[in-house]
Amino acid sequence: MRKLITSGAALTLLAAIASFAAERTRIKITSSAFKEGGDIPPKFTCKGSNTSPPLQIAGVPSEAKSLVLIADDPDAPSGLFTHWLIWNIPPQTTSISEGSGPKGVHGANDFGKSDYKGPCPPTGTHRYSFKIFALDRELNLRGGAKRSQVDAGMKGHVIAQGELIGRYASK
């Protein structure tokens, strides 16, 4: 009985530590253009000027060596669809100005371009995810690399991450 209680206490302690570590590894990513779960203004979509939204980043761990920014549409009919892909962003980056990409290496989005392509759902409302990842190293990939290559390079090297979701409906 004593072993059972000790084991239970140890598991509870490990769960608490894991929970604390998980909370500690969250990066906050926000935008002054839209709120979490809110509507993305047309200006930042294919119906507007296709301008990238301003983004603010907070809580990057001090041990981070680089950041990765990925914007995608998880509701695309063909599956996950990447709209923006940049890696080796300096970890000191705290904001990305409207209409510009951060310093870093730009990859190919699913439109075959290396720049931001705004939301443009064929029908209905889609969610658009802006994800930021802190890595314990830089990625050794050439510009124009695809999402699958970036995902493979990040595997085992993500030390923190955050996500901002916005919505857009085609009209």
Side-chain angles (χ1 to χ4, degrees):
M1 180 70 159
R2 185 178 210 168
K3 282 186 179 181
L4 184 60
I5 292 171
T6 304
S7 295
L11 287 174
T12 302
L13 178 61
L14 286 174
I17 292 169
S19 174
F20 175 74
E23 286 300 314
R24 209 178 120 232
T25 59
R26 297 293 302 161
I27 298 173
K28 186 171 183 173
I29 180 169
T30 58
S31 178
S32 57
F34 61 95
K35 296 195 180 311
E36 171 65 33
D39 291 336
I40 298 172
K43 173 182 186 175
F44 305 108
T45 73
C46 67
K47 300 294 184 187
S49 59
N50 232 357
T51 300
S52 60
L55 298 171
Q56 294 78 44
I57 303 163
V60 174
S62 60
E63 63 270 20
K65 303 289 188 240
S66 70
L67 301 176
V68 175
L69 174 65
I70 300 173
D72 56 33
D73 175 0
D75 299 325
S78 60
L80 191 64
F81 202 82
T82 302
H83 286 255
W84 206 14
L85 180 62
I86 306 170
W87 62 91
N88 292 351
I89 300 167
Q92 302 80 16
T93 302
T94 57
S95 66
I96 300 167
S97 299
E98 179 179 316
S100 68
K103 290 181 182 176
V105 182
H106 291 247
N109 61 29
D110 285 332
F111 296 93
K113 305 289 183 188
S114 63
D115 54 356
Y116 174 81
K117 177 71 171 166
C120 200
T123 60
T125 300
H126 284 220
R127 294 170 294 147
Y128 292 88
S129 173
F130 293 82
K131 298 176 194 157
I132 192 81
F133 299 90
L135 306 182
D136 62 5
R137 69 176 192 148
E138 288 192 344
L139 297 180
N140 188 20
L141 296 171
R142 291 180 180 229
K146 296 184 182 216
R147 170 74 181 268
S148 60
Q149 295 169 294
V150 174
D151 286 344
M154 289 191 330
K155 190 173 184 179
H157 297 284
V158 176
I159 57 175
Q161 65 187 60
E163 180 177 34
L164 169 65
I165 296 177
R167 298 179 183 279
Y168 185 71
S170 63
K171 306 220 182 283

